[in-house]
Amino acid sequence: MNRVISSFRDGKGFDIALVGAALLFLGIFAGLPLVYNVVMSFQAVDMFSLGTFARPFVGFDNYIAVFSEPIFWPVMRNTVVFVVASIGGQFVIGFGLALFFTLKFPGSTYLRGLFLVSWVMPGLVVGAIWNWILAGDFGVLNFALTGLGIIEDNIFWRSDTAFSLWAVIIANIWLGTSFNMILLSVGLASIPRDLYEAAALDGANGWQRFWTITLPMMRATIGAVISLGLIFTLQQFDLFAAITSGGPANSSNVAQYWAWDFSFRQYDFAKGATISVLMIALVMVASVIYVRSTRHEVRG
Amino acid sequence: MTAQPQIELTNIDKHYGSFHALRDINLTIENGQFVALVGPSGCGKSTLLRSLAGLESISGGTMKIAGDVMNGVPPRKRDVAMVFQSYALYPHMSVLDNLTYSLRLKRRPKSEAEAAANEVAATTGLQKLLRRLPRELSGGQRQRVAMGRAIIRHPKAFLFDEPLSNLDAALRVHMRKEIRALHDRLRATSVYVTHDQIEAMTMADHVVVMREGVIEQQGAPLELYDRPANMFVAGFIGSPAMNFVDGTVDGSGTGARLALPDEPSIQIGKRLEPGRKITVGLRPEFLQLASGDEAALHLSVTTVESTGSTTYISSLGEPEIVVVVNGRTDVAAGDKIGLAIAPENVHAFDPETGKAI
């Protein structure tokens, strides 16, 4: 008995207890729902069988049903456009800002801190504000674009099928840029200054220093930012709910919103679960990339 | 060698806000010379080196490299190479890529770059390490890569910023010789910053001693040792440091009474006005144990430390006196010893200005 106590106090027992607690938490709150979700995607689920686990297995019927939905491919296309455009915009603007803030002008650290405000705002609030900005008749964005002579007529961002998805993307880029910037700033700060000095003496101009020093040294950070961005973007639900509700005519519907719509509006839990499983597969790929990119971290 | 100096600094000034980092620096470095900038930390030696590289801007004066004015020229256009204290190797590149980085930037053909890298690797003993990443190398090997990266460019000047300070003592002594041997072979103009006066003395043709942004003295290493211009240089060059004792010139003008117990009198090797207050400098290695009439001063010993080849005898007091004796001695702590010094080895300084008399 004493040995057990002392091993808990000083030895391996303590480590095991810590790891065990984390595993237990993950198992109950992430593992079980995940498994349940996968199981459900192979079952016939309706309102009457919702309360029991013993439901008839239907094999890949749910998958076949989802794939043959007329809006399946449009939704997948929207999801890809949403993810790629959001991450692209967040990353490019975030990296630009991160590089800008390395210039260390007076007040730069405070200004950088202010950018985080966008990240602490609830998605629904951000959505509500962007609804005003994007409004077709009185929106600030249209006012600015017409004022600058970029467009002639107002764009009805939220109700025009050609723009509705982009309305959400713009809001999402705004929401995620600061997260990208902060992570990339940390990555930039960890590159030793003397590498740039050595490169400058070796004859590299600013552009060459960026390509040969900054980018390769940022590989791990960039990998992490993009894979986390993929996960956050696939999670983005609030903005769709607040800005377009997936419409009009599913023109801004994406997988995560569609899954919610199946499960909680149409109460077709099996199809909702099926779409979620497809998304889990995608996130798994992103996670593997993320883990691999941080493992290959290069530090002098 | 060309007649034109390779590096010419005239009236260089550098301010950081209100801090005056470099004051009126004048320094001429001939082609092929190995110059050491030495001084305590914060003396401006690294700032001067970084200004030469273009990594710091200067506030005033003219900086010429190979005859061209370099004020305001960006580092990449100065054609100088620098070996950093941290080595600053590119951690994501192999040794080969580190060496050929500058050539690849100039878009030299791959074959030419690799041939040059092989040649440099042979010079620096890196042949077998070309595929390794910097993190897979030892400190000494990293040091060699940093040197190789500089050599491959055939620059107008090599700048070294305390390159050996991250190595352990034994390797440091070894690399010191290697760098000097390399310099003797390549005959490239080199500026070497160090806080270690032994490195400066053993490696350089010309030593520049700096303090608080000012050049205190420059010259050949032994010239600084034999004829220090002031008390700072006298105390900085030589190890252990020179003993300083206050004294007064006696009636004859060729001797001085020292402010030590018993007020001993020694010959100072020069004639000064009687009664003048001076500071006498006695190098520990020139003080010799003596007895009877030969002993000019007597001290009681506080500690005796022996390294086997050399023995350090100290007499703690105001001031402390250290004596270095070759080999071993039977002097023990608590003993009273007699010391003598040849008049030509006695330095005299003005206690007000610190300048040599």
Side-chain angles (χ1 to χ4, degrees):
Chain A
M1 189 62 207
N2 257 339
R3 268 188 57 201
V4 174
I5 292 171
S6 86
S7 109
F8 185 78
R9 207 175 44 211
D10 312 312
K12 269 193 172 164
F14 187 64
D15 304 347
I16 292 168
L18 283 183
V19 174
L23 278 179
L24 194 70
F25 184 89
L26 270 178
I28 292 173
F29 294 106
L32 277 183
L34 202 129
V35 171
Y36 186 67
N37 192 62
V38 173
V39 169
M40 208 156 63
S41 75
F42 292 102
Q43 289 179 326
V45 190
D46 56 32
M47 288 301 276
F48 302 102
S49 63
L50 202 54
T52 162
F53 193 62
R55 290 177 289 241
F57 278 88
V58 293
F60 282 94
D61 280 5
N62 288 324
Y63 289 84
I64 293 162
V66 166
F67 280 121
S68 52
E69 286 279 341
I71 63 162
F72 176 77
W73 288 112
V75 166
M76 288 302 131
R77 197 191 64 90
N78 284 347
T79 310
V80 171
V81 170
F82 178 70
V83 167
V84 172
S86 294
I87 293 179
Q90 290 170 356
F91 179 77
V92 170
I93 300 173
F95 207 165
L97 284 171
L99 287 169
F100 175 64
F101 282 116
T102 58
L103 296 179
K104 299 256 180 285
F105 49 89
S108 61
T109 44
Y110 295 101
L111 207 54
R112 189 169 62 184
L114 275 182
F115 269 84
L116 278 181
V117 167
S118 72
W119 203 47
V120 297
M121 291 239 269
L124 285 172
V125 174
V126 173
I129 291 168
W130 276 96
N131 278 344
W132 286 345
I133 297 173
L134 295 164
D137 31 23
F138 60 84
V140 169
L141 186 60
N142 277 340
F143 179 78
L145 291 176
T146 44
L148 290 168
I150 296 169
I151 55 170
E152 284 189 6
D153 299 315
N154 282 350
I155 294 173
F156 286 80
W157 291 95
R158 297 164 55 209
S159 50
D160 187 328
T161 52
F163 292 103
S164 55
L165 183 62
W166 290 98
V168 188
I169 290 172
I170 291 170
N172 193 36
I173 289 175
W174 182 85
L175 191 63
T177 294
S178 60
F179 175 73
N180 277 250
M181 180 196 70
I182 290 297
L183 279 195
L184 293 167
S185 286
V186 173
L188 285 175
S190 70
I191 302 176
R193 257 180 64 98
D194 53 13
L195 288 188
Y196 290 109
E197 296 181 342
L201 283 164
D202 270 345
N205 60 32
W207 186 245
Q208 288 167 325
R209 289 198 291 270
F210 179 75
W211 279 103
T212 58
I213 308 291
T214 310
L215 272 189
M217 292 291 289
M218 291 284 283
R219 217 186 80 166
T221 314
I222 292 171
V225 165
I226 289 185
S227 13
L228 285 175
L230 180 59
I231 292 167
F232 288 151
T233 317
L234 284 177
Q235 263 183 8
Q236 183 51 260
F237 175 83
D238 305 18
L239 289 178
F240 287 95
I243 298 176
T244 63
S245 304
N250 288 313
S251 62
S252 66
N253 203 353
V254 290
Q256 62 268 39
Y257 194 81
W258 199 30
W260 171 81
D261 192 75
F262 266 128
S263 294
F264 301 105
R265 292 245 288 245
Q266 304 176 29
Y267 298 107
D268 191 342
F269 286 93
K271 279 190 189 148
T274 306
I275 297 169
S276 305
V277 171
L278 295 176
M279 291 178 66
I280 289 167
L282 210 68
V283 171
M284 294 276 256
V285 172
S287 310
V288 170
I289 296 170
Y290 171 63
V291 170
R292 284 184 65 89
S293 71
T294 48
R295 197 173 49 194
H296 282 282
E297 218 151 338
V298 176
R299 286 286 173 264
Chain B
M1 273 190 210
T2 52
Q4 186 188 47
Q6 189 70 353
I7 296 175
E8 209 175 354
L9 308 178
T10 10
N11 311 114
I12 301 290
D13 265 291
K14 163 89 185 162
H15 299 268
Y16 286 111
S18 62
F19 178 64
H20 204 162
L22 297 174
R23 296 163 196 251
D24 198 25
I25 301 287
N26 288 288
L27 177 61
T28 303
I29 299 172
E30 301 302 333
N31 195 3
Q33 220 176 8
F34 194 119
V35 172
L37 304 180
V38 64
S41 52
C43 71
K45 56 191 191 297
S46 280
T47 306
L48 184 57
L49 192 80
R50 292 172 57 83
S51 304
L52 259 175
L55 300 172
E56 306 271 353
S57 60
I58 50 172
S59 320
T62 315
M63 180 174 279
K64 281 189 188 172
I65 297 176
D68 302 319
V69 176
M70 285 293 162
N71 297 22
V73 173
R76 68 194 168 89
K77 293 194 175 151
R78 293 198 179 194
D79 195 19
V80 296
M82 187 154 160
V83 177
F84 289 79
Q85 183 174 3
S86 61
Y87 316 137
L89 302 181
Y90 310 122
H92 54 292
M93 295 184 201
S94 66
V95 170
L96 179 68
D97 288 345
N98 264 282
L99 292 177
T100 57
Y101 183 71
S102 56
L103 303 177
R104 286 183 289 131
L105 287 175
K106 285 185 200 141
R107 306 201 182 285
R108 290 282 161 75
K110 206 180 168 204
S111 56
E112 185 192 323
E114 287 194 3
N118 283 324
E119 195 188 317
V120 167
T123 317
T124 47
L126 291 167
Q127 298 100 317
K128 289 183 181 153
L129 305 171
L130 286 174
R131 302 281 154 206
R132 297 246 193 114
L133 286 174
R135 61 160 180 264
E136 297 161 340
L137 302 178
S138 70
Q141 290 166 337
R142 288 179 197 193
Q143 169 71 58
R144 288 200 185 99
V145 178
M147 303 261 301
R149 198 170 61 178
I151 294 167
I152 202 167
R153 290 175 44 201
H154 302 294
K156 294 203 181 95
F158 287 100
L159 309 178
F160 296 89
D161 190 6
E162 309 220 11
L164 303 184
S165 54
N166 284 345
L167 302 178
D168 61 61
L171 196 54
R172 199 149 57 212
V173 173
H174 175 75
M175 288 306 291
R176 205 158 79 192
K177 286 190 195 122
E178 217 167 88
I179 292 176
R180 180 65 218 199
L182 206 59
H183 176 261
D184 289 340
R185 196 134 36 98
L186 302 172
R187 282 281 150 212
T189 312
S190 304
V191 185
Y192 188 103
V193 160
T194 177
H195 62 270
D196 182 348
Q197 54 95 14
I198 295 186
E199 259 176 39
M201 297 287 285
T202 51
M203 295 172 78
D205 309 316
H206 188 85
V207 176
V208 178
V209 182
M210 293 182 67
R211 180 174 63 155
E212 289 172 4
V214 178
I215 293 182
E216 292 280 352
Q217 190 178 1
Q218 50 176 308
L222 292 181
E223 188 187 320
L224 298 192
Y225 179 86
D226 292 336
R227 283 181 295 281
N230 53 45
M231 281 174 68
F232 174 74
V233 176
F236 194 78
I237 301 289
S239 174
M242 186 185 276
N243 300 300
F244 293 110
V245 186
D246 287 336
T248 313
V249 180
D250 64 17
S252 69
T254 57
R257 280 199 171 280
L258 302 183
L260 286 171
D262 312 333
E263 296 203 351
S265 189
I266 59 164
Q267 291 299 304
I268 55 173
K270 48 181 76 72
R271 182 172 293 276
L272 298 172
E273 65 218 78
R276 180 173 177 179
K277 298 272 183 209
I278 59 171
T279 298
V280 173
L282 310 167
R283 289 210 181 271
E285 51 275 33
F286 291 134
L287 284 168
Q288 287 166 333
L289 293 179
S291 55
D293 285 349
E294 284 175 26
L297 51 154
H298 296 269
L299 291 170
S300 47
V301 175
T302 338
T303 54
V304 178
E305 299 157 302
S306 181
T307 64
S309 62
T310 313
T311 304
Y312 300 89
I313 303 168
S314 327
S315 165
L316 279 178
E318 200 51 54
E320 180 186 359
I321 302 284
V322 178
V323 181
V324 174
V325 180
N326 266 330
R328 298 168 199 202
T329 164
D330 47 14
V331 173
D335 290 356
K336 198 107 174 144
I337 52 167
L339 294 170
I341 187 164
E344 64 268 24
N345 289 331
V346 175
H347 298 267
F349 302 95
D350 186 314
E352 300 284 311
T353 62
K355 291 214 165 69
I357 301 169

